[in-house]
Amino acid sequence: MSPYDPSAFPPFAVTVDLVVLTVRRHALCTLAVRRGEPPFQGRWALPGGFVRPDEDLAGAAARELVEETGLCVQDPGTPAPAPGTGAHLEQLATYGDPKRDPRMRVVSVAHLVLAPDLPAPRAGGDANSARWAPVETLLGPEGEASALAFDHAQILADGVERARSKIEYSSLATAFCPPEFTVGELRRVYEAVWAVALDPRNFHRKVTGTPGFLVPTGGTTTRQGGRPAQLFRAGGATLLNPPMLRPEV
Amino acid sequence: MSPYDPSAFPPFAVTVDLVVLTVRRHALCTLAVRRGEPPFQGRWALPGGFVRPDEDLAGAAARELVEETGLCVQDPGTPAPAPGTGAHLEQLATYGDPKRDPRMRVVSVAHLVLAPDLPAPRAGGDANSARWAPVETLLGPEGEASALAFDHAQILADGVERARSKIEYSSLATAFCPPEFTVGELRRVYEAVWAVALDPRNFHRKVTGTPGFLVPTGGTTTRQGGRPAQLFRAGGATLLNPPMLRPEV
DNA sequence: AGTGTTTATCGTCAGGAAGACGACTATGAT
DNA sequence: ATCATAGTCGTCTTCCTGACGATAAACACT
């Protein structure tokens, strides 16, 4: 058989699933929707849906994101024209185990979205309920009652690990922040994503000393209490060199 | 419409494509096959083929790899039982632009394979010709006559970039080496993949000083000429911390 | 007004890692 | 014997980080 015979191919369903991460109340949270139908009816799952015949994968992911959250995505691939605006979206990995969906053969292209803290999930489309859940809860002990549907626990774990490692060597952590933010707010993002405590003084030295990472806006804020802090925007740099080091243990 | 209605979904063809990288004569090379039929007849392309209804994505990639090269893959996920044996395989990314194949909607899950230098590509299966080509050649100037079919130039570029960055912080470079190798051979792998020159003394200090990276076998070899060099096997460590630094510029 | 608390920011110091590079060693080739 | 080639061990300087002291500027009390 020809490896590219277009007339005889096994048909697959292709979906996109979304790992939408944000930082809420010092914890890394993800968007979960409750399934309204079998299989896994009533269980939590990652948002997602079928790819349409005429859209590409990133487009399908962006569409699902708007439908579920109202969030707009910075043009993928293009360096953000207005850093801090909108969310970051990237492809995560593809999951295609023959048995991952009991009904049929579904290949799901998972995407990772990093978003600033949002007011509240609007249950758009057909999702009759949606919520931000701490990833600790969803990935907690094995066999948890709150376990995610399908292989979504694995997808979420992969997405979280991707985010954890990517903020080491890129400026992506700013995607969790509003357009203007303080060094302390950025530090709390790192602390939430890595679930560690960082030294405020060394962190400040590191981020302000990395060229192109942060651009001072001139303003200050006191919204965190304490001494007023300088406000920054994300700079043009996307890669951190040397990287931010994740503490051991 | 329900996002998971199994009865009405747009059918896609799902394929795997392989970026098989190796180091030959101090150059990073990839496996290319010549297409025997339209579209892109006579052009070079990455090896690949349809995913079968009952196999998972990594399994399809491993099967295609055996068909094309005879190469066996270490059980993916499992830490290599015999490091240096077989090839490393991992998922790279998924390409699903609606127009990427002019005939039909094809979503391709690209995989990356790192292999030691192999004798010669055996044109297995139906590939009437296959060769190792330096990635420089295939990715050279835009609009080259030798350009790859479909979006395979993009896939290859992504695979090369993945390999280049992954040998920074992992011990994956040993996947390009035979089971036993010298520090100099490993250094030449880094030099070929990164296309840079590295200081032999600092490189030696770095790799021998990283716990778990290299295990001396006791033997020595002189196959490179010059003073006999110690032979090593890949150690159990998979992550390099701190990473190997890629020289700037 | 004064005191404590919180957060931000600057500075100092010691230790580790890396780049540059000198020196020596052990082979084969001429 | 001499040279060329590769491998291996050291040294020195520089940069970065982690640990942590000290000061600054706001707010909440009393």
Side-chain angles (χ1 to χ4, degrees):
Chain A
M1 162 183 125
S2 162
Y4 274 109
D5 180 354
S7 61
F9 69 92
F12 288 72
V14 176
T15 61
V16 290
D17 284 322
L18 296 181
V19 177
V20 188
L21 299 180
T22 196
V23 174
R24 289 171 71 85
R25 280 177 284 121
H26 292 207
L28 184 63
C29 294
T30 194
L31 185 64
V33 298
R34 193 186 290 277
R35 286 184 55 76
E37 54 194 82
F40 300 102
Q41 185 167 19
R43 293 270 286 280
W44 294 99
L46 299 177
F50 286 112
V51 177
R52 295 180 179 165
D54 58 346
E55 70 186 347
D56 68 12
L57 303 173
R63 173 179 54 76
E64 291 287 342
L65 182 64
V66 174
E67 289 176 11
E68 302 282 353
T69 67
L71 214 63
C72 271
V73 168
Q74 308 169 162
D75 214 20
T78 320
T85 315
H88 167 87
L89 182 144
E90 67 179 49
Q91 195 185 105
L92 176 58
T94 299
Y95 300 82
D97 188 274
K99 297 194 181 63
R100 64 180 294 278
D101 189 313
R103 296 161 298 178
M104 57 187 302
R105 186 69 197 264
V106 178
V107 167
S108 179
V109 184
H111 286 72
L112 178 64
V113 176
L114 308 186
D117 196 358
L118 300 171
R122 83 161 195 223
D126 62 330
N128 59 20
S129 57
R131 64 158 181 164
W132 293 109
V135 298
E136 294 292 322
T137 309
L138 294 175
L139 294 177
E142 293 286 336
E144 182 103 18
S146 65
L148 290 168
F150 304 108
D151 51 1
H152 288 187
Q154 182 64 51
I155 298 176
L156 174 59
D158 292 347
V160 168
E161 185 47 41
R162 169 82 65 94
R164 284 186 171 151
S165 67
K166 208 148 182 182
I167 64 173
E168 288 186 33
Y169 58 88
S170 80
S171 60
L172 261 184
T174 59
F176 287 115
C177 295
E180 294 199 347
F181 54 88
T182 69
V183 172
E185 289 166 345
L186 184 61
R187 174 168 50 81
R188 281 181 281 275
V189 164
Y190 275 91
E191 292 178 332
V193 175
W194 285 343
V196 296
L198 299 175
D199 185 289
R201 297 157 292 188
N202 293 336
F203 183 86
H204 189 277
R205 177 182 61 192
K206 173 69 178 172
V207 296
T208 57
T210 299
F213 191 6
L214 299 183
V215 177
T217 65
T220 61
T221 183
T222 181
R223 61 184 167 227
Q224 299 296 328
R227 170 176 164 180
Q230 271 191 88
L231 284 169
F232 295 87
R233 286 183 297 102
T238 56
L239 256 43
L240 264 39
N241 203 322
M244 182 87 59
L245 292 184
R246 181 168 11 174
E248 341 249 326
V249 181
Chain B
M1 163 183 126
S2 161
Y4 275 109
D5 180 354
S7 61
F9 68 92
F12 289 71
V14 176
T15 62
V16 289
D17 284 321
L18 296 180
V19 177
V20 187
L21 297 180
T22 194
V23 174
R24 290 171 70 84
R25 283 178 281 118
H26 293 206
L28 184 63
C29 294
T30 194
L31 186 63
V33 298
R34 194 187 290 279
R35 286 186 55 77
E37 57 194 77
F40 301 102
Q41 185 167 19
R43 292 270 286 280
W44 294 100
L46 300 177
F50 286 111
V51 178
R52 295 179 179 166
D54 58 344
E55 70 186 348
D56 67 12
L57 302 173
R63 173 179 54 75
E64 291 288 340
L65 183 64
V66 174
E67 290 176 10
E68 302 281 354
T69 67
L71 214 62
C72 272
V73 168
Q74 308 168 165
D75 215 20
T78 320
T85 317
H88 167 86
L89 182 144
E90 66 180 49
Q91 194 185 107
L92 176 58
T94 299
Y95 299 82
D97 188 275
K99 297 193 182 64
R100 63 181 294 277
D101 188 313
R103 297 161 299 179
M104 59 188 298
R105 186 69 198 266
V106 178
V107 167
S108 180
V109 184
H111 286 72
L112 178 64
V113 176
L114 308 186
D117 196 359
L118 301 170
R122 83 161 195 222
D126 63 328
N128 59 19
S129 57
R131 64 159 180 163
W132 293 108
V135 298
E136 296 292 322
T137 310
L138 293 175
L139 294 178
E142 294 285 336
E144 182 105 17
S146 66
L148 290 168
F150 303 107
D151 52 1
H152 288 187
Q154 183 63 52
I155 298 176
L156 175 59
D158 292 347
V160 168
E161 185 46 42
R162 170 82 66 94
R164 283 185 172 149
S165 67
K166 206 145 183 185
I167 64 174
E168 287 185 35
Y169 58 89
S170 80
S171 62
L172 261 184
T174 58
F176 287 115
C177 294
E180 294 200 346
F181 54 89
T182 69
V183 172
E185 290 166 345
L186 184 61
R187 174 168 49 82
R188 281 181 283 275
V189 164
Y190 275 92
E191 292 179 331
V193 175
W194 285 344
V196 296
L198 299 175
D199 185 289
R201 298 156 291 189
N202 292 337
F203 183 86
H204 188 278
R205 177 183 60 194
K206 172 69 177 173
V207 296
T208 58
T210 299
F213 191 7
L214 300 182
V215 178
T217 65
T220 62
T221 183
T222 180
R223 63 183 167 226
Q224 299 295 331
R227 170 175 164 181
Q230 270 190 91
L231 284 170
F232 295 87
R233 286 184 297 102
T238 57
L239 257 43
L240 264 38
N241 203 320
M244 182 87 59
L245 293 184
R246 182 171 6 178
E248 341 249 324
V249 182

